[in-house]
Amino acid sequence: MAQTSSLLFVSIFLFAIGMATCDPDFPNFLKCLPNYTNSSNPILETTYTHNNSSFESKLRAYIRFRKFLTPETPKPLALIAAKDETHVQATVICANSNDLQIRIRSGGHDFEGLSYISDVPFVILDMFNMRAINIDTDSFSGWVQSGATLGELYHTIATKISKTHAFPAGVCPTVGVGGHFSGGGYGNLMRKYGLSIDNIVNARIVDVNGNILDRQSMGEDLFWAIRGGGAASFGVVLEWYINLVRVPETVTVFRVRRNVDQSVTDTVFQWQEIFPKLDKDVYIRVMPILVNGSKVGERIVEVSFIGMFLGKSEKLVELMNKSFPKLGLVREDCKEMSWIESTVFWAESPNGSSIDVLIQRPEGSKVSGWFKSDFVKDVIPKTVINSMWKWMLEYKVDWMEMNPLGGRMSEISETKTPFPHRGGNLFLMEYASMWKEEGVVQRRVNLLRKMYQLMTPYVSRNPREAFLNYRDIDIGKNPSNLTRFREAQVYGRKYHKNNFVRLARVKARVDPGNFFKHQQSIPPLFS
């Protein structure tokens, strides 16, 4: 009866699609799916095509930027909202055997939309339903499915596991675990405990043949590759096994705002100098942002110093007065709270918000944006910092983030994982241009490119490094339908430096036919 029901679903889909699709492999793809899934959980009930009334809402739910909602944006032939592991296996097997590409989406925060856009016929494997979190209360370690969000992970740790444990990852609670972990995953605990990938000890992945592999069966090379090398080039990670880290009962957070006429340049300069040697328990992000001035239509630069200390405010203020006096931190700037409350603070939720905001899943997007990244190895001169404020205004760069490295990050070899930006880097810098208007994409992109170009002499070089989680196809790309090694080497070295070649050799072993590909995927290298 279950098989008859599945065939009925296929017949309905094919009748509805009719001649709407020009790809002869798509009907075979739909017929193929039930053959590899459990009849108790039919995959076609979670498969959405253009003729399904829920298709648009499912597609748009995890598109985070309006610029990808235009009529010109390519859409998938179908979206498979997987609910169990067999749905993932079936999608991989059937897409591969019918020459369809897949895009793998967990939270939808890919800056270039590569988790849900392709220029060739494709389907989306949407992981948002697979969000289980199972952490052992004795070992403080356990499995997190790729469709979970960071906020859901943090909420689970605090409410079900421990008030004095955490996990090192990002500050945006709606980001999906799958993409965040596979690109490295940095956050405000990285100076103390490293990246997310430095605290992941196992994973389960569906390979190109539809097999489910864990660390032992996939081997150390593939396990190395998916932690920072972009797992979507190698397979579909179902879940990650993480080790939690210890945090004190009380942490201290602060946000100190300064205008550029308040000696903020001297403060930023000193911040660069002191952080490589600063206590690992301290993390301070520098965030210049464009805000409204006192005059109508006036825009000015305001710089926020946003920090967290793994301890109480009295000790933090004493430490800052000694090591970072230019900041002028006082007790009144500080707020003591639990670690889980600090995640709400970092998410910029309104004061007094419940930690339950961490498990909210807002859908869709109201803005568009474009982003670039840099790693800085040498202290930027004061004259250049002053110029940066002017460039932000001139080129409409809405905000920047300067995230300090050092500490534990400098103790880990750049070849330990595919993420190579370890010792020798002062900070990671992100540039952002945001807009709500229509028809301004290219103009805003070009303006941000100008500032990025002006920063060239003051950032890493040969290669100019970039952060994989801040996807940027401006630094190099391939077409959707093939991955040329020459082109891939350009962006690959910027993201992974010398680790790129090892990634390409792993790719050749585990996916020699290059099924898992997108515009910035890892190519197979057979030599």
Side-chain angles (χ1 to χ4, degrees):
M1 180 64 70
Q3 184 67 26
T4 302
S5 176
S6 296
L7 291 175
L8 179 60
F9 270 113
V10 172
S11 300
I12 293 172
F13 275 131
L14 299 186
F15 178 78
I17 293 167
M19 299 301 293
T21 175
C22 298
D23 191 324
D25 298 323
F26 184 56
N28 290 328
F29 169 78
L30 291 175
K31 287 181 179 179
C32 174
L33 291 175
N35 298 330
Y36 297 93
T37 55
N38 296 323
S39 58
S40 60
N41 195 1
I43 188 171
L44 293 176
E45 291 184 2
T46 61
T47 299
Y48 303 88
T49 69
H50 291 255
N51 297 89
N52 188 295
S53 60
S54 299
F55 174 80
E56 281 293 330
S57 63
K58 294 293 183 182
L59 177 62
R60 289 170 172 260
Y62 291 91
I63 293 178
R64 299 302 181 184
F65 301 106
R66 286 178 58 189
K67 66 181 181 179
F68 298 128
L69 294 174
T70 66
E72 296 77 26
T73 302
K75 293 183 179 181
L77 296 172
L79 184 150
I80 295 87
K83 288 188 174 181
D84 69 30
E85 296 177 351
T86 65
H87 292 176
V88 177
Q89 293 174 286
T91 302
V92 170
I93 293 169
C94 296
N96 192 11
S97 63
N98 289 285
D99 298 318
L100 284 170
Q101 281 194 12
I102 66 170
R103 291 291 182 266
I104 307 158
R105 185 168 71 170
S106 53
H109 286 77
D110 189 303
F111 286 167
E112 299 286 3
L114 300 192
S115 62
Y116 50 84
I117 294 174
S118 177
D119 292 326
V120 299
F122 72 107
V123 297
I124 291 177
L125 178 55
D126 226 335
M127 303 293 287
F128 69 89
N129 284 320
M130 298 184 66
R131 59 179 79 173
I133 301 170
N134 295 295
I135 297 176
D136 180 64
T137 54
D138 294 324
S139 64
F140 300 108
S141 59
W143 292 101
V144 182
Q145 286 190 318
S146 287
T149 65
L150 296 181
E152 290 165 352
L153 173 58
Y154 299 157
H155 191 274
T156 298
I157 293 171
T159 59
K160 297 181 180 180
I161 309 301
S162 167
K163 304 293 185 184
T164 56
H165 283 81
F167 187 74
V171 301
C172 178
T174 59
V175 166
V177 159
H180 187 71
F181 288 0
S182 73
Y186 88 91
N188 52 29
L189 291 174
M190 68 177 169
R191 300 190 70 255
K192 180 73 170 182
Y193 292 113
L195 304 173
S196 299
I197 53 176
D198 300 322
N199 298 276
I200 292 172
V201 295
N202 203 345
R204 297 176 67 248
I205 186 172
V206 174
D207 72 3
V208 67
N209 299 311
N211 299 315
I212 296 179
L213 310 174
D214 62 9
R215 179 174 182 172
Q216 182 177 1
S217 54
M218 77 174 77
E220 288 301 306
D221 279 346
L222 181 53
F223 183 64
W224 173 86
I226 62 176
R227 292 175 301 132
S233 291
F234 304 94
V236 184
V237 177
L238 298 169
E239 56 185 347
W240 310 79
Y241 196 88
I242 66 173
N243 283 338
L244 303 187
V245 299
R246 291 297 300 265
V247 291
E249 290 184 1
T250 301
V251 305
T252 302
V253 299
F254 63 85
R255 181 191 298 268
V256 175
R257 293 181 171 91
R258 298 281 187 265
N259 292 336
V260 294
D261 59 352
Q262 296 176 305
S263 301
V264 72
T265 296
D266 292 340
T267 308
V268 173
F269 183 81
Q270 187 177 68
W271 172 86
Q272 297 178 95
E273 290 188 306
I274 59 100
F275 247 94
K277 304 180 289 289
L278 200 61
D279 192 307
K280 294 179 185 178
D281 289 341
V282 182
Y283 181 90
I284 302 176
R285 165 182 288 176
V286 176
M287 189 170 182
I289 185 169
L290 297 187
V291 299
N292 292 327
S294 57
K295 301 175 184 177
V296 176
E298 181 186 31
R299 298 285 275 171
I300 63 173
V301 178
E302 178 185 87
V303 181
S304 288
F305 297 84
I306 312 167
M308 183 169 78
F309 174 63
L310 299 178
K312 295 188 176 182
S313 58
E314 183 178 2
K315 183 177 179 181
L316 171 63
V317 171
E318 179 183 346
L319 180 62
M320 290 295 95
N321 287 338
K322 179 181 178 180
S323 303
F324 191 13
K326 293 285 186 184
L327 181 60
L329 188 72
V330 296
R331 286 284 295 273
E332 290 72 23
D333 296 323
C334 302
K335 296 180 180 180
E336 294 184 348
M337 58 185 64
S338 65
W339 169 77
I340 191 62
E341 290 170 333
S342 79
T343 65
V344 177
F345 168 85
W346 280 95
E348 299 186 348
S349 297
N351 288 336
S353 295
S354 162
I355 65 170
D356 290 343
V357 300
L358 298 172
I359 56 176
Q360 294 175 0
R361 287 195 172 220
E363 296 185 351
S365 174
K366 298 179 181 179
V367 299
S368 288
W370 200 55
F371 309 85
K372 299 186 78 66
S373 65
D374 266 317
F375 285 89
V376 178
K377 298 178 182 293
D378 300 306
V379 171
I380 297 176
K382 292 181 183 180
T383 54
V384 178
I385 296 173
N386 280 325
S387 295
M388 287 166 56
W389 315 143
K390 298 174 184 177
W391 296 337
M392 286 183 68
L393 290 165
E394 182 176 357
Y395 301 119
K396 300 183 185 298
V397 179
D398 291 278
W399 50 264
M400 298 172 63
E401 283 183 1
M402 301 158 71
N403 298 286
L405 301 174
R408 177 64 179 147
M409 292 292 289
S410 296
E411 298 169 357
I412 301 173
S413 164
E414 67 177 38
T415 60
K416 181 72 173 178
T417 67
F419 179 98
H421 319 287
R422 305 282 190 168
N425 289 284
L426 297 179
F427 57 94
L428 163 63
M429 186 154 57
E430 180 186 16
Y431 315 79
S433 181
M434 310 291 290
W435 62 90
K436 293 183 179 180
E437 316 96 293
E438 301 294 338
V440 300
V441 175
Q442 198 56 51
R443 180 165 64 88
R444 295 300 295 268
V445 165
N446 288 337
L447 287 172
L448 186 55
R449 281 175 178 154
K450 290 179 180 178
M451 179 161 185
Y452 181 75
Q453 183 61 35
L454 288 168
M455 291 299 298
T456 302
Y458 314 107
V459 298
S460 61
R461 59 186 69 90
N462 300 319
R464 184 172 185 173
E465 298 171 33
F467 180 35
L468 181 59
N469 279 144
Y470 292 161
R471 180 82 67 186
D472 180 7
I473 60 174
D474 227 25
I475 67 172
K477 65 176 181 176
N478 266 299
S480 292
N481 61 337
L482 77 161
T483 313
R484 301 187 186 96
F485 187 86
R486 183 186 298 272
E487 284 80 356
Q489 196 169 23
V490 175
Y491 59 78
R493 290 192 67 240
K494 293 177 181 179
Y495 287 138
H496 307 295
K497 296 178 67 176
N498 293 333
N499 293 328
F500 170 72
V501 171
R502 182 179 174 187
L503 285 168
R505 288 183 173 140
V506 175
K507 171 75 169 182
R509 182 175 64 81
V510 303
D511 183 19
N514 197 28
F515 169 66
F516 292 107
K517 57 181 173 288
H518 53 74
Q519 290 94 317
Q520 282 194 338
S521 59
I522 301 296
L525 177 63
F526 295 97
S527 58

